[in-house]
């Protein structure tokens, strides 16, 4: 018989993450980046529609647009670094960042987004993630079994 994928043979229940703070940090900076980009885009649209709404002088709206673009780029760089630091404990891949590798057939992707941004949105809305490289599902709210056993034995003392 053929070899079976080890992920397929395990339980379908999501695993726990020992260090979910890295994932939360990456999602936080992605959200900040998205909001900075969106606010800069809205500001540019208002400026193009009616420049007099934003102020009397010519330079004030331009400096604000340049500052918005600069902050958006800065938050993009920070978000990229944070998403790259979030690693899958099983395969050591970066499930929040597409690297161009072939995704697992169980990986989920919402149509306008790639697998990485779909994973970020999944963490924001469901607190769960599916690694795009090994197909393992994780629940960020689930406590580790080792922590549960440790708490159980500490209570008996």
């Amino acid at each position: 018989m053929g070899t079976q994928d080890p992920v397929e043979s395990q339980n379908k229940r999501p695993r726990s993450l020992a260090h979910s703070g890295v994932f939360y940090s990456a999602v936080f900076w992605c959200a900040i980046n998205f909001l900075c980009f969106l606010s800069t885009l809205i500001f540019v649209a208002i400026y193009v529609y009616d420049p007099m709404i934003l102020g009397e002088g010519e330079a004030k709206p331009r400096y604000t647009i340049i500052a918005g673009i600069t902050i958006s780029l800065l938050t993009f760089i920070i978000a990229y670094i944070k998403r790259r630091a979030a690693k899958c404990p099983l395969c050591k891949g970066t499930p929040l960042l597409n690297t161009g590798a072939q995704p697992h057939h169980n990986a989920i992707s919402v149509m306008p987004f790639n697998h990485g941004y779909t994973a970020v949105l999944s963490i924001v809305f469901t607190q769960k993630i599916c690694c795009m490289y090994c197909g393992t599902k994780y629940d960020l709210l689930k406590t580790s079994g080792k922590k549960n056993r440790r708490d159980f034995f500490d209570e008996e003392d």
Side-chain angles (χ1 to χ4, degrees):
M1 293 185 82
T3 60
Q4 188 178 14
D5 188 9
V7 175
E8 294 294 328
S9 63
Q10 72 182 4
N11 289 335
K12 296 296 179 187
R13 295 183 306 148
R15 295 172 162 236
S16 64
L17 277 172
H19 304 287
S20 60
V22 178
F23 287 89
Y24 285 129
S25 174
V27 169
F28 172 77
W29 281 104
C30 283
I32 295 295
N33 176 33
F34 179 72
L35 291 175
C36 287
F37 178 74
L38 187 65
S39 63
T40 303
L41 194 64
I42 290 171
F43 196 80
V44 168
I46 290 172
Y47 180 69
V48 168
Y49 178 70
D50 188 10
M52 296 310 288
I53 290 175
L54 300 176
E56 306 254 339
E58 285 283 325
K60 185 178 176 183
R62 288 185 191 151
Y63 288 139
T64 309
I65 290 172
I66 291 171
I69 292 171
T70 305
I71 292 171
S72 295
L73 286 174
L74 182 67
T75 56
F76 175 77
I77 292 169
I78 293 171
Y80 179 81
I81 291 169
K82 294 290 185 178
R83 285 185 355 204
R84 191 162 179 90
K87 303 246 185 225
C88 173
L90 193 62
C91 70
K92 305 298 184 211
T94 55
L96 301 182
L97 187 66
N98 277 27
T99 59
Q102 182 71 26
H104 194 269
H105 61 85
N106 288 343
I108 301 166
S109 175
V110 177
M111 189 51 176
F113 304 110
N114 58 17
H115 287 86
Y117 277 110
T118 301
V120 169
L121 291 174
S122 176
I123 291 174
V124 168
F125 292 111
T126 65
Q127 302 294 311
K128 295 180 181 177
I129 185 173
C130 178
C131 179
M132 73 174 91
Y133 301 113
C134 64
T136 306
K137 294 180 168 114
Y138 294 101
D139 187 353
L140 275 68
L141 298 177
K142 186 176 178 181
T143 57
S144 174
K146 291 179 182 177
K147 288 181 184 177
N148 288 340
R149 282 181 291 214
R150 191 176 332 131
D151 292 342
F152 177 74
F153 288 120
D154 287 344
E155 288 175 2
E156 288 180 2
D157 290 341

